[in-house]
Amino acid sequence: MAHYIGFAGFSNSGKTTFIAKLIGEMKRRGYLVGVMKHDAHGHYKEAKGADSSTFIQSGADAVATLSPDGVHVYEKKSEPNMKEQLAAFAHLDYVIIEGFKKEKHPKIAIFRTIEQSAIMAELDSEPLAIVTDLVDLNGVLPSYKMDEVEAVATFIVTFFEARQY
């Protein structure tokens, strides 16, 4: 069964860029990696430069985009849900989830500005860590800079090794 970890942040917080780099690092370590992206507004388009294309180019073994009217994998589906798609990715080592800030799964908050740090109050529970180039605003949670992809990868692997699931 795949381990899954989310990255939650507002638009333009750096989620896609960071996840693309994280995919590369996890692949370098020999893991099978999938990405599940939340398209809450149904704006998904198969186009060069789209987030899903970025993830594929970064080496992801599987990418799914969940919109209100379907799943972009290869099937049309009414009201797809995260749990069902995670089950389809069970053969992978890790699934990185972009968005789904209200769902119950382990998350890392990511933000670039003080205004974007408001994501912390919108999450269903406290995140496991923070990724930001701002001064550590929390003081308690592990905090990583945007360029510390290797350290975040190690944090994720260690987190799941300690939990044994």
Side-chain angles (χ1 to χ4, degrees), residues 2-23:
H3 304 298
Y4 49 93
I5 184 93
F7 283 81
F10 296 122
S11 293
N12 298 313
S13 61
K15 295 184 305 291
T16 299
T17 301
F18 190 85
I19 290 170
K21 292 176 184 176
L22 182 60
I23 292 165

Side-chain angles (χ1 to χ4, degrees), residues 30-70:
Y31 295 113
L32 294 174
V33 181
V35 179
M36 188 181 328
K37 178 174 174 53
H38 190 208
D39 176 28
H41 304 292
H43 296 160
Y44 177 82
K45 291 184 179 92
E46 184 65 38
K48 186 176 181 177
D51 291 354
S52 58
S53 298
T54 299
F55 298 144
I56 291 166
Q57 290 167 355
S58 296
D61 296 290
V63 176
T65 303
L66 279 70
S67 301
D69 61 349

Side-chain angles (χ1 to χ4, degrees), residues 78-96:
S78 179
E79 298 184 36
N81 68 66
M82 191 178 83
K83 267 190 173 174
E84 188 176 271
Q85 196 57 47
L86 284 171
F89 283 173
H91 65 288
L92 302 172
D93 297 312
Y94 291 92
V95 177
I96 301 168

Side-chain angles (χ1 to χ4, degrees), residues 18 22 25 29 144 147-157:
F18 190 85
L22 182 60
E25 176 60 23
R29 295 178 185 209
Y144 300 93
D147 64 355
E148 293 183 305
V149 177
E150 289 180 24
V152 173
T154 298
F155 173 81
I156 291 168
V157 170

Side-chain angles (χ1 to χ4, degrees), residues 116-155:
Q116 290 176 345
S117 71
I119 190 65
M120 301 284 286
E122 291 198 22
L123 300 178
D124 65 314
S125 60
E126 185 174 67
L128 302 175
I130 299 168
V131 174
T132 185
D133 283 336
L134 298 176
V135 174
D136 183 3
L137 303 173
N138 180 278
V140 176
L141 297 175
S143 184
Y144 300 93
K145 300 290 185 193
M146 293 283 193
D147 64 355
E148 293 183 305
V149 177
E150 289 180 24
V152 173
T154 298
F155 173 81

